[in-house]
Amino acid sequence: MGTGLALYHMLLSSTVKANVLSSLKLMGKGMLGVFIVMLLIYLVVVILNKTSGSKENKK
Amino acid sequence: MNEFAYLVSGAAGITWEMVFMWAIGGLLIWLAVKKDFEPSLLLPMGFGAILVNLPYAGVIGSGGIIEWLFKVGIDTSEAMPLLLFVGIGAMIDFGPLLSNPRMLLFGGAAQFGIFFTILMAAFLGFPMKDAMSAGIIGAADGPTAILVSQVLNSSYKGAIAVAAYSYMALVPIIQPAAIKLVTTKKERSIRMPYNPESVSKTTRVLFPIIVTLIAGLIAPKSVALVGFLMFGNLLRECGRLDALAKTAAGPLANLITIFLGITIAFQMRADVFVKWDTLLIMLLGFVAFVFDTIGGVCFAKILNLFLPAGKKINPMVGGAGISAFPMSARVIQKMGLKEDNQNHLLMHAVGANVAGQIGSVVAGGIILSLAGTILG
């Protein structure tokens, strides 16, 4: 484990390490953002289906 | 003799890189004509790759038509991919998604490949703007990939466009292999009865407006992508503008498609395309498609842990949450029937697939929004 970490630090330059960290943050924030948007759309569609569907059925 | 030198000046200017690009152009045309792989884009791109790689080509440089098209249609405003989105929006029927809205979640999960590929690209030493552009190949959506790589000013715009469209065409080969890698035969045989709820006209009309508002408020940079896609869909669903909707879905989309491919070829000049990194970008694009599929499938498997028996989701449907429509949905239907000839997953997969079209543009917008803080 120690050897692996040492190899990792040796192989990656500081810029690459910073970019890898940025990408991990981007992955977390990006997937969270996508899911929040999709969940909100999901909720709105469910509400729309419930409300407008029943109104138009009555008509 | 020197008076006739002009006859051979073109031939004398040929380099091996140009010949290599002719071969690439020829390959794209062959894939389009012989294999029917995304012919509407690969053929113009292939021919364009030959055009821009002729020595002293009159289509590039000052006054060159392809360079002008690129500057006006893509570089200055990203007008071409965005206008194409109006046409795509007018083509999409969100009905299967609206009647089964939980499929939206798969449109989110199957964007995982984008972010995983960004991580891989960063690990391989690509600068962040190029890593993010390589990741967006996983949007499985040509216009989004072109727009994001253009806005981020990636050095690999040509390779990214080629990869996005080529892998979209290869979905019937890539997805079954990726799905089989992470599912068992039993999981692939899960049946999903299709009991769609009826979708009111009000829902159909309000949907594009609400999606634009939500996406625009959470990821403002996605407004151009989502907004143009949803504008096209509103034309389709409003019921009052049939002529405009048909024009957007037909002649407009066709006109843009004709010139988009040949314009993108501007980025396939030998001097910017022929380098080892291009090959790496193509490989990363493959990784993006594989992990998009795996992301969607694994998300379905996680959901299944909480769902009662009889309500379980066939994990393959999660894999259809990518934007490559309708290829991905068809692949899932075919795979479902292969495991159980009475298991029809098409409508579920279509729902996830159109959700993927929303998910991919939202992911593209979020990347552009976050790029501001990451790139400074």
Side-chain angles (χ1 to χ4, degrees):
Chain A
M1 184 69 183
T3 321
L5 269 178
L7 191 68
Y8 170 83
H9 285 292
M10 195 180 74
L11 286 176
L12 297 185
S13 71
S14 58
T15 315
V16 172
K17 269 188 251 178
N19 284 348
V20 168
L21 274 179
S22 294
S23 335
L24 278 171
K25 281 183 197 160
L26 182 69
M27 184 189 274
K29 286 182 183 174
M31 284 306 287
L32 182 70
V34 173
F35 268 111
I36 288 174
V37 173
M38 300 309 259
L39 268 172
L40 283 174
I41 297 172
Y42 175 37
L43 291 175
V44 171
V45 172
V46 170
I47 294 166
L48 275 176
N49 278 342
K50 293 252 184 262
T51 52
S52 67
S54 55
K55 270 185 197 168
E56 286 184 21
N57 283 344
K58 276 179 196 169
K59 278 181 194 172
Chain B
M1 204 58 188
N2 276 349
E3 288 175 28
F4 297 102
Y6 73 95
L7 289 174
V8 291
S9 63
I14 295 173
T15 61
W16 73 265
E17 288 96 341
M18 287 174 178
V19 177
F20 178 74
M21 289 311 295
W22 299 349
I24 297 279
L27 176 70
L28 294 181
I29 294 171
W30 180 78
L31 286 172
V33 176
K34 201 77 181 168
K35 297 285 177 186
D36 197 26
F37 283 178
E38 292 287 325
S40 57
L41 277 145
L42 290 192
L43 188 134
M45 278 167 78
F47 190 73
I50 296 170
L51 262 183
V52 300
N53 285 295
L54 287 166
Y56 319 114
V59 291
I60 51 176
S62 99
I65 180 69
I66 292 186
E67 186 158 346
W68 179 82
L69 279 170
F70 183 81
K71 280 187 177 154
V72 173
I74 296 183
D75 200 25
T76 314
S77 58
E78 288 89 34
M80 278 193 187
L82 289 175
L83 290 174
L84 186 55
F85 261 128
V86 178
I88 295 171
M91 288 177 211
I92 301 175
D93 176 10
F94 283 112
L97 176 65
L98 295 173
S99 65
N100 191 8
R102 67 177 176 167
M103 292 297 139
L104 274 160
L105 300 177
F106 299 119
Q111 307 311 318
F112 174 70
I114 296 177
F115 298 100
F116 182 80
T117 305
I118 294 174
L119 179 66
M120 286 295 103
F123 195 80
L124 288 171
F126 282 98
M128 277 311 281
K129 65 171 183 149
D130 293 323
M132 287 190 267
S133 304
I136 205 64
I137 298 171
D141 182 345
T144 304
I146 292 168
L147 188 134
V148 171
S149 60
Q150 184 62 36
V151 173
L152 295 178
N153 196 22
S154 168
S155 319
Y156 305 98
K157 293 170 215 148
I160 286 164
V162 173
Y165 283 113
S166 312
Y167 291 133
M168 260 158 63
L170 293 174
V171 157
I173 297 166
I174 297 172
Q175 283 212 301
I179 288 171
K180 281 185 181 169
L181 203 67
V182 288
T183 54
T184 60
K185 186 174 169 56
K186 194 181 164 193
E187 285 171 328
R188 295 196 294 273
S189 306
I190 294 175
R191 287 194 178 187
M192 290 176 73
Y194 185 62
N195 305 309
E197 287 179 24
S198 63
V199 180
S200 68
K201 177 154 173 74
T202 313
T203 304
R204 283 179 179 270
V205 173
L206 286 178
F207 180 72
I209 301 168
I210 289 168
V211 169
T212 307
L213 284 171
I214 293 174
L217 290 174
I218 292 179
K221 295 271 184 187
S222 71
V223 161
L225 290 162
V226 179
F228 273 57
L229 183 76
M230 290 300 151
F231 172 58
N233 192 249
L234 186 59
L235 289 178
R236 174 197 171 99
E237 298 296 352
C238 73
R240 301 282 180 195
L241 298 167
D242 280 355
L244 294 193
K246 279 180 187 156
T247 305
L252 174 71
N254 287 340
L255 269 172
I256 300 286
T257 303
I258 289 172
F259 291 109
L260 182 64
I262 210 162
T263 304
I264 282 299
F266 178 68
Q267 293 292 339
M268 294 178 73
R269 294 170 342 264
D271 56 325
V272 290
F273 197 91
V274 183
K275 41 191 173 186
W276 281 113
D277 291 355
T278 302
L279 198 63
L280 271 181
I281 293 284
M282 300 295 283
L283 276 173
L284 285 167
F286 178 76
V287 169
F289 270 68
V290 169
F291 278 87
D292 274 347
T293 309
I294 290 176
V297 170
C298 290
F299 183 71
K301 287 171 74 153
I302 293 167
L303 282 184
N304 278 345
L305 296 175
F306 305 98
L307 292 172
K311 294 269 181 194
K312 297 224 185 273
I313 296 164
N314 188 313
M316 293 197 295
V317 170
I322 65 168
S323 182
F325 181 84
M327 293 87 87
S328 187
R330 282 189 197 144
V331 165
I332 304 308
Q333 161 77 347
K334 212 170 152 187
M335 288 184 76
L337 287 174
K338 200 175 165 192
E339 301 296 342
D340 170 357
N341 63 11
Q342 292 301 308
N343 196 6
H344 295 277
L345 299 169
L346 185 66
M347 292 316 286
H348 298 287
V350 166
N353 213 175
V354 291
Q357 297 200 301
I358 300 173
S360 66
V361 289
V362 170
I366 285 175
I367 285 176
L368 289 179
S369 297
L370 293 173
T373 45
I374 290 173
L375 301 175

